[in-house]
Amino acid sequence: MKALVKSAAEVGLWAEDRPLPQIGPEDVLIRVKKTGICGTDIHIWNWDEWAARTVPVGLVTGHEFAGEIVEKGALVQGLEIGQRCSGEGHLIGKLSRQSRAGRFHLDPATRGIGVNEPGAFAEYLRLPAFNVVPLPDAIDDDIGAILDPLGNAVHTALSFDLVGEDVLITGAGPIGIMAAAVARHVGARHVVITDVNPARLELAAQVADVTPVNVAKEDLREVQSRLKMAQGFDIGMEMSGNQQALDQMIDSLVMGGKIAMLGIPPGKSPVDWSRIVFKAITIKGVYGREIFETWYKMIAMLENGLDVRRVITHRFKAADFVQGFEVMRSGLSGKVVLDWT
Ligand code: ZN
């Protein structure tokens, strides 16, 4: 089969022929139809310090996918050949206290497809049946291929009650934009999204009913008073990993405000803890998706009017993956989807 492989410890990915994955009794084999390119894949392409430390050379990459089950192991129940599906890319252990309590997303032994284990940038993917998420007809393969990052957005957005609240999202990448759409869908009052990249802010306004703010040019306080916020934002979602963005968020929150944090700051970054204490702010780190509650809620919302389709800005044949990665690396795209059919 064709696959995109991290064949060498240098910049790039390479299309290679690989043998079909062998499945075990509790696995399924999935014919991959569409895949999304993630920021994580860009780190792997760039072979930065994190990637070099984490990803084994020779790995089939990719973790955002939609496809169809073509083979199933002898012990697999409840799934059929021909079932359209996506799936959770975090392969969890079953031995930790967290897993045994059903908090699978907190299992410390988690391994990721396309990062630690063979991934989805391939014609076929082996996946434990446990990780499979069947797709209803209402969710096509394009959307199926971006459920992993949409799940990050949903997990972050549903971390706190948003009904009637004023929400600040820092970072208008695809996940920030999708989180804005989710916040509106579940009933937030004002959703403001900040960035310094005009193209991303423009895309945010196209995808969701939000107020985009370019913090390089506009004063966030003026926006707050224009929107008639008495004190500030009730809830923050940090999606940029940028220290100044987090600083501004802490500054702009009400007393007792809450922050869900998905963005990853580079290394150790200075934090003015006194402001967090005196404002009585709650900060929650968000990792992955709740397995499988986030998936359930996400699919239910998609079936009930949540529309994130326009966050997909580019589609390429898998053979043209180099173009797809170039578009992603430009920082000017939304989600980029590769077609493996
Ligand atoms: Zn991803």
Side-chain angles (χ1 to χ4, degrees):
M1 66 171 186
K2 290 268 181 292
L4 300 187
V5 181
K6 190 73 207 183
S7 307
E10 58 187 72
V11 176
L13 285 176
W14 294 268
E16 282 186 7
D17 276 313
R18 283 298 179 98
L20 277 191
Q22 297 286 310
I23 64 166
E26 295 184 283
D27 298 332
V28 297
L29 188 68
I30 295 167
R31 171 71 174 98
V32 175
K33 301 280 180 66
K34 301 275 176 78
T35 57
I37 302 178
C38 181
T40 301
D41 302 317
I42 301 303
H43 287 285
I44 296 172
W45 175 288
N46 291 341
W47 204 239
D48 62 13
E49 192 262 333
W50 168 83
R53 176 162 39 88
T54 310
V55 178
V57 170
L59 188 79
V60 175
T61 56
H63 59 271
E64 304 178 356
F65 71 93
E68 181 185 323
I69 296 172
V70 292
E71 192 187 335
K72 58 177 193 169
L75 298 178
V76 174
Q77 292 182 327
L79 294 171
E80 299 306 329
I81 306 295
Q83 170 72 58
R84 293 178 55 248
C85 68
S86 181
E88 172 58 53
H90 285 172
L91 310 182
I92 53 147
K94 302 261 174 72
L95 299 177
S96 68
R97 175 181 173 185
Q98 293 93 326
S99 278
R100 289 171 67 85
R103 298 191 300 270
F104 298 121
H105 69 296
L106 300 178
D107 179 62
T110 295
R111 295 176 65 74
I113 65 166
V115 176
N116 317 106
E117 300 285 335
F121 286 159
E123 288 175 300
Y124 294 91
L125 168 70
R126 177 197 80 89
L127 198 70
F130 177 78
N131 285 60
V132 170
V133 177
L135 290 179
D137 293 342
I139 299 179
D140 64 23
D141 291 341
D142 276 9
I143 298 298
I146 63 165
L147 292 182
D148 174 287
L150 177 58
N152 293 131
V154 169
H155 187 186
T156 310
L158 300 188
S159 289
F160 300 110
D161 182 7
L162 299 183
V163 177
E165 305 288 15
D166 292 333
V167 176
L168 174 64
I169 299 173
T170 46
I175 296 179
I177 292 173
M178 290 191 284
V182 173
R184 293 294 296 163
H185 183 80
V186 302
R189 182 170 66 166
H190 297 300
V191 179
V192 172
I193 189 164
T194 65
D195 207 296
V196 293
N197 179 332
R200 291 182 159 205
L201 290 166
E202 205 172 296
L203 181 62
Q206 283 167 20
V207 175
D209 175 22
V210 293
T211 306
V213 175
N214 186 336
V215 285
K217 292 184 182 149
E218 285 176 81
D219 182 358
L220 193 55
R221 285 180 191 284
E222 277 171 25
V223 176
Q224 284 172 253
S225 63
R226 193 171 81 220
L227 296 175
K228 299 190 170 41
M229 284 180 212
Q231 289 180 43
F233 293 94
D234 304 294
I235 308 285
M237 298 184 213
E238 210 305 289
M239 302 290 200
S240 70
N242 181 296
Q243 178 60 36
Q244 286 168 313
L246 180 60
D247 262 354
Q248 189 167 42
M249 177 174 281
I250 292 165
D251 228 29
S252 313
L253 283 192
V254 296
M255 285 284 295
K258 301 181 181 82
I259 298 175
M261 203 167 158
L262 188 75
I264 302 166
K268 294 180 182 174
S269 56
V271 174
D272 184 351
W273 287 102
S274 68
R275 287 195 306 166
I276 293 167
V277 172
F278 287 127
K279 283 187 110 169
I281 287 171
T282 302
I283 301 181
K284 178 194 173 190
V286 179
Y287 175 64
R289 295 143 299 280
E290 285 190 16
I291 305 170
F292 286 88
E293 192 62 9
T294 299
W295 289 89
Y296 180 90
K297 296 248 189 190
M298 166 166 67
I299 288 171
M301 286 191 283
L302 286 168
E303 289 180 311
N304 189 34
L306 174 65
D307 183 3
V308 294
R309 184 171 304 278
R310 277 175 292 180
V311 84
I312 302 173
T313 54
H314 296 77
R315 294 171 174 82
F316 295 97
K317 290 271 167 209
D320 299 325
F321 69 97
V322 174
Q323 278 172 272
F325 275 81
E326 271 168 14
V327 168
M328 276 288 287
R329 293 169 88 204
S330 74
L332 297 174
S333 72
K335 288 302 293 183
V336 176
V337 168
L338 299 179
D339 184 346
W340 292 82
T341 57

